[in-house]
């Protein structure tokens, strides 16, 4: 048999394995090893390429650190305080708790940078509360899954780090470019949530209390400080995204360890309602002991142990695809569309379809090096295309048949996967609308960058950011 026949058979075989539920890491690994044998590439070469991904990728060190940050803020109680603040602001509206869940996802994403961590953390905290509050359990779980999509768009973002590493783009610019699109995604999902809850009359309302809003804002001050620390440091150039991740981890550890004894002295309990807590007790979070840190690190290492090999084998897969001429085939197809918008929307369609069956990391590593140069050749700004590409990849988190966030939400809430799909599709429309807007209006992703509209017209805000630069 010819090499082409063998590669076709290998591809069919791993596709069958994927359909049977084999983890995507093993599917890609089997394909890489099989094709390497067929093409005469030694496993020594494959192993060397896997190692080079991390030897040459200092920026990738930020990935495990931001994952650890997410686990630390969850364990310390900061994530709960951010959720309380979001609910205090939105609970007076129909669907307020559901919208607060989405808002909490946005705030959590601004510290952790991970979609799955965002979905798991907010879903496990607020799904029981939403069910008690009169929401359908399927809708509650789907809301956590949809809210988690902003985890890779609102900075800091693990996937932006990977994209910047692959395409040699400044990661700090990518982070800043994701702020407005990520915020629009949150607002669009809140609007969809409000409509769904109003039609179904879901959710109990609470009175809008300025005191409650102020009190919960005080309680969430550490979360706000962590968000500001990351954005200030990266924007002013005080530290790189990798260094920002390390600084944030150090901050969270110090806060967690110091808060635990103070919280015990005050006699505060995590399950005490906000109304019964004093303003002084709201300043201090629950925290954790130094003995808790090894378990937190192990949990983060388990997630990193899944993502890091997936990045490595996906890079090798992209190299093999290039040797097979896949890049030329896709490039010829996309450029054949002709013109700025035909090429852009064809690339978006490819990303959307790929996101339906693959996780965002392999989609980015395999397709970004192919599609980004094509988009740039017709005049699409590289930073803008990065945001367009990754917003599309994030939508794949709630798009069946794969939909990683749907699986995560199903796991933490106990609601079967297929029962989530009905309500997840309702959020899908709002996210696609934002995606098209980001593609059609380049200013949405570039407005906060140097030369952008908001950069030029908000001197006070940017002056505050750059004061210590």
């Amino acid at each position: 048999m010819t090499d082409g026949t063998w590669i076709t058979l290998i591809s069919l075989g791993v596709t069958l394995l994927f359909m049977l539920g084999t983890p995507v890491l093993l599917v890609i690994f089997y394909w890489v090893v099989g094709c390497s044998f067929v093409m005469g590439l030694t496993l020594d070469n494959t192993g060397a390429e896997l190692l080079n991904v991390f030897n040459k990728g200092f920026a990738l060190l930020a990935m495990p650190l931001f994952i650890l940050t997410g686990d630390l803020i969850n364990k310390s109680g900061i994530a709960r305080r951010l959720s309380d603040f979001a609910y205090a602001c939105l609970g007076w509206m129909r669907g307020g708790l559901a919208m607060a869940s989405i808002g909490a996802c946005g705030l959590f994403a601004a510290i952790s940078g991970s979609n799955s961590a965002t979905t798991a953390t907010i879903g496990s905290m607020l799904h029981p509360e939403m069910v008690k509050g009169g929401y359908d359990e399927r809708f509650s779980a789907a809301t956590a899954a949809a809210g988690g999509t902003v985890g890779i768009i609102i900075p800091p973002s693990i996937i932006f780090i990977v994209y910047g590493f692959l395409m040699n783009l400044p990661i700090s610019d990518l982070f800043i470019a994701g702020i407005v699109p990520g915020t629009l995604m949150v607002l669009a999902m809140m609007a969809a949530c409000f409509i769904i809850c109003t039609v179904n009359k879901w959710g109990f309302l609470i009175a809008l209390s300025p005191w409650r809003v102020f009190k919960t804002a005080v309680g969430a001050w550490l979360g706000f400080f962590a968000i500001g620390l990351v954005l200030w440091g990266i924007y002013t150039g005080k530290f790189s995204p990798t260094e920002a991740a390390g600084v944030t981890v150090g901050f969270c550890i110090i806060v967690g360890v110091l808060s635990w004894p103070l919280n015990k002295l005050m006699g505060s309990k995590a399950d005490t309602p906000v109304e019964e807590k004093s303003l002084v007790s709201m300043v201090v979070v629950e925290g954790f002991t130094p003995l808790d840190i090894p378990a937190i690190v192990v949990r983060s290492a388990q997630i990193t142990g899944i993502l890091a090999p997936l990045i490595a084998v996906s890079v090798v897969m992209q190299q093999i695809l290039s040797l097979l001429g896949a890049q030329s085939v896709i490039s010829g197809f996309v450029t054949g569309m002709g013109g700025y918008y035909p090429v852009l929307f064809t690339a978006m369609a490819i990303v959307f379809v790929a996101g339906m069956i693959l996780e965002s990391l392999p989609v980015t590593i395999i397709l970004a090096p192919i599609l980004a140069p094509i988009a740039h050749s017709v005049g699409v700004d590289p930073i803008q295309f990065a945001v367009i590409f990754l917003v599309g990849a994030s939508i794949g988190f709630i798009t069946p048949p794969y939909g990683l966030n749907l699986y995560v939400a199903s796991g933490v809430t106990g609601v079967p996967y297929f029962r989530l799909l009905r309500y997840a599709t309702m959020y899908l429309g709002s996210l696609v609308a934002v995606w098209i807007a980001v593609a059609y209006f380049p200013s949405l992703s570039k407005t906060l960058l140097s030369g952008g509209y908001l950069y030029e017209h908000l001197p006070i805000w940017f002056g505050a950011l750059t004061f210590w630069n």
Side-chain angles (χ1 to χ4, degrees):
M1 290 190 291
T2 64
D3 289 352
T5 303
W6 276 113
I7 291 175
T8 301
L9 291 175
I10 292 170
S11 300
L12 291 173
V14 297
T15 301
L16 179 61
L17 289 175
F18 178 75
M19 294 173 65
L20 293 175
T22 304
V24 67
L25 170 62
L26 293 179
V27 170
I28 296 177
F29 180 76
Y30 292 151
W31 189 89
V32 166
V33 172
C35 291
S36 295
F37 275 120
V38 171
M39 299 173 66
L41 303 176
T42 64
L43 289 183
D44 287 344
N45 177 71
T46 302
E49 289 298 328
L50 293 175
L51 188 60
N52 283 339
V53 172
F54 298 104
N55 285 343
K56 299 178 181 178
F58 173 73
L60 293 180
L61 290 176
M63 180 183 69
L65 293 174
F66 278 126
I67 292 172
L68 178 57
T69 297
D71 287 331
L72 288 170
I73 65 173
N74 186 26
K75 182 67 175 178
S76 65
I78 295 175
R80 166 61 71 178
R81 297 296 181 87
L82 292 172
S83 300
D84 290 341
F85 171 72
Y87 184 43
C89 293
L90 299 168
W92 59 277
M93 302 173 64
R94 175 65 67 183
L97 183 55
M99 288 189 286
S101 176
I102 295 172
C105 285
L107 293 172
F108 188 87
I111 309 175
S112 70
S114 167
N115 63 288
S116 55
T118 301
T119 298
T121 300
I122 303 303
S124 59
M125 283 196 307
L126 293 186
H127 176 262
E129 300 298 324
M130 288 180 65
V131 174
K132 290 179 186 177
Y135 295 86
D136 185 284
E137 65 171 4
R138 299 167 297 174
F139 171 75
S140 303
T143 298
T149 57
V150 300
I152 67 167
I153 303 300
I154 294 179
S157 164
I158 293 171
I159 201 68
F160 271 136
I161 294 169
V162 175
Y163 191 101
F165 164 73
L166 286 173
M167 305 308 301
N168 196 29
L169 292 174
I171 295 173
S172 57
D173 283 359
L174 293 176
F175 278 5
I176 299 300
I179 294 176
V180 172
T183 303
L184 290 176
M185 290 170 67
V186 170
L187 294 176
M189 287 188 288
M190 283 185 176
C193 177
F194 176 77
I195 294 171
I196 295 169
C197 293
T198 300
V199 170
N200 292 280
K201 293 182 171 55
W202 285 335
F204 304 138
L205 307 183
I206 64 171
L208 176 61
S209 168
W211 173 245
R212 182 187 177 103
V213 173
F214 173 75
K215 195 175 180 181
T216 53
V218 170
W221 77 274
L222 289 169
F224 299 144
F225 184 85
I227 294 170
L229 179 65
V230 172
L231 293 179
W232 170 80
I234 293 174
Y235 184 82
T236 60
K238 293 296 183 183
F239 34 72
S240 69
T242 302
E243 293 164 342
V247 169
T248 310
V249 166
F251 169 77
C252 291
I253 290 176
I254 293 171
V255 166
V257 171
L258 293 181
S259 295
W260 188 82
L262 291 174
N263 186 65
K264 291 298 180 183
L265 286 174
M266 292 180 178
S268 300
K269 296 182 179 179
D271 56 353
T272 303
V274 173
E275 297 83 358
E276 299 178 12
K277 290 185 177 181
S278 66
L279 185 62
V280 175
S281 66
M282 290 292 290
V283 175
V284 181
V285 294
E286 286 73 29
F288 47 78
T289 69
L291 297 178
D292 292 325
I293 295 177
I296 300 172
V297 173
V298 168
R299 172 182 166 81
S300 301
Q302 290 172 337
I303 299 174
T304 303
I306 296 172
L307 296 182
L310 184 58
I311 293 173
V313 297
S314 297
V315 169
V316 178
M317 182 181 185
Q318 194 273 331
Q319 293 171 348
I320 292 176
L321 286 171
S322 295
L323 292 175
L324 292 173
Q327 183 169 355
S328 299
V329 173
I330 297 175
S331 177
F333 172 73
V334 176
T335 53
M337 297 295 105
Y340 182 95
Y341 286 110
V343 167
L344 181 57
F345 286 116
T346 301
M348 291 170 64
I350 293 173
V351 172
F352 183 79
V353 173
M356 293 173 65
I357 56 177
L358 287 174
E359 209 268 341
S360 62
L361 276 175
V363 168
T364 301
I365 294 169
I366 293 168
L367 289 180
I370 298 174
L371 297 177
I374 300 171
H376 183 58
S377 69
V378 296
V380 183
D381 181 83
I383 297 293
Q384 184 206 359
F385 184 76
V387 176
I388 294 171
F389 187 101
L390 295 175
V391 169
S394 72
I395 292 174
F397 290 136
I398 58 169
T399 307
Y402 187 59
L404 177 61
N405 282 15
L406 297 176
Y407 282 105
V408 173
S410 176
V412 299
T413 63
V415 179
Y417 173 87
F418 289 103
R419 297 186 65 200
L420 301 179
L421 298 182
R422 174 185 173 187
Y423 295 104
T425 53
M426 297 181 181
Y427 286 113
L428 192 60
S430 63
L431 291 175
V432 170
V434 172
W435 190 26
I436 294 173
V438 170
Y440 196 76
F441 300 104
S443 59
L444 292 177
S445 52
K446 299 173 65 178
T447 189
L448 292 178
L449 294 173
S450 179
Y453 181 83
L454 290 182
Y455 182 94
E456 299 294 338
H457 291 80
L458 290 179
I460 296 177
W461 185 65
F462 280 94
L465 275 176
T466 57
F467 179 76
W468 297 105
N469 192 12

